[in-house]
Amino acid sequence: MTVLQPGVRAPDFTLPRDGGDRLSLRDFKGRKLVLYFYPKADTPGCTTESIAFSSLKSAFARARTDIVGVSADPVKAQDKFRDKHSLKVTLASDEEKKMLTAYGVWGEKQMYGRKFMGVRRTTYLIAPDGRIAQVWENVKVPGHAEDVLAAAKAL
């Protein structure tokens, strides 16, 4: 799969989220939205990334930007992850991998010489008009949330 490019309309989605509710792209109409895709809840890199976005949630709010983390983990795992690390960001579950595929983040990965299917760590900044403003592929976690915040402020 190929990631979406800046300028294209973000694919619509409706997903279950932590706490048992559902969320859709249209819920964020007129606001900026950060969608960060992470491989697996409660693993070291994903935890560090989610804590970083959580610690900057108020700064993102001042920039009129919402944050949603998405993985293929079930809602129950997302709830446990959120509670264990006191995360403040919304976490969505795409067990069916429809959204992950539409955003080009579900695909073949390789680790220790083994190939497998999984979520490629990717972040999208979506503009208030629903178009992709910026994409970060193969994200390295340290400093990433700060980079995304700077881009959100500049948008």
Side-chain angles (χ1 to χ4, degrees), residues 3-90:
V3 298
L4 303 172
Q5 296 303 306
V8 303
R9 185 158 299 285
D12 196 17
F13 61 85
T14 299
L15 293 173
R17 60 161 287 181
D18 57 331
D21 290 331
R22 298 182 72 74
L23 60 83
S24 299
L25 180 61
R26 64 185 159 274
D27 297 338
F28 303 97
K29 186 175 178 143
R31 292 184 55 85
K32 293 174 268 187
L33 174 63
V34 170
L35 288 177
Y36 74 96
F37 295 91
Y38 59 96
K40 187 161 179 58
D42 210 17
T43 55
C46 300
T47 299
T48 301
E49 183 177 27
S50 295
I51 289 171
F53 276 114
S54 286
S55 71
L56 293 173
K57 185 177 180 185
S58 61
F60 275 99
R62 286 191 298 277
R64 294 189 39 83
T65 306
D66 295 299
I67 309 164
V68 176
V70 183
S71 75
D73 296 298
V75 171
K76 187 174 180 179
Q78 302 282 33
D79 286 341
K80 186 176 175 186
F81 180 43
R82 178 201 60 210
D83 294 345
K84 180 178 179 182
H85 299 285
S86 301
L87 300 177
K88 298 174 187 169
V89 295
T90 300

Side-chain angles (χ1 to χ4, degrees), residues 113-136:
R114 194 180 119 245
K115 292 182 180 182
F116 59 96
M117 297 298 287
V119 177
R120 293 188 295 260
R121 194 180 306 277
T122 307
T123 301
Y124 286 96
L125 175 59
I126 301 173
D129 67 0
R131 296 191 179 277
I132 305 295
Q134 194 161 342
V135 183
W136 291 263

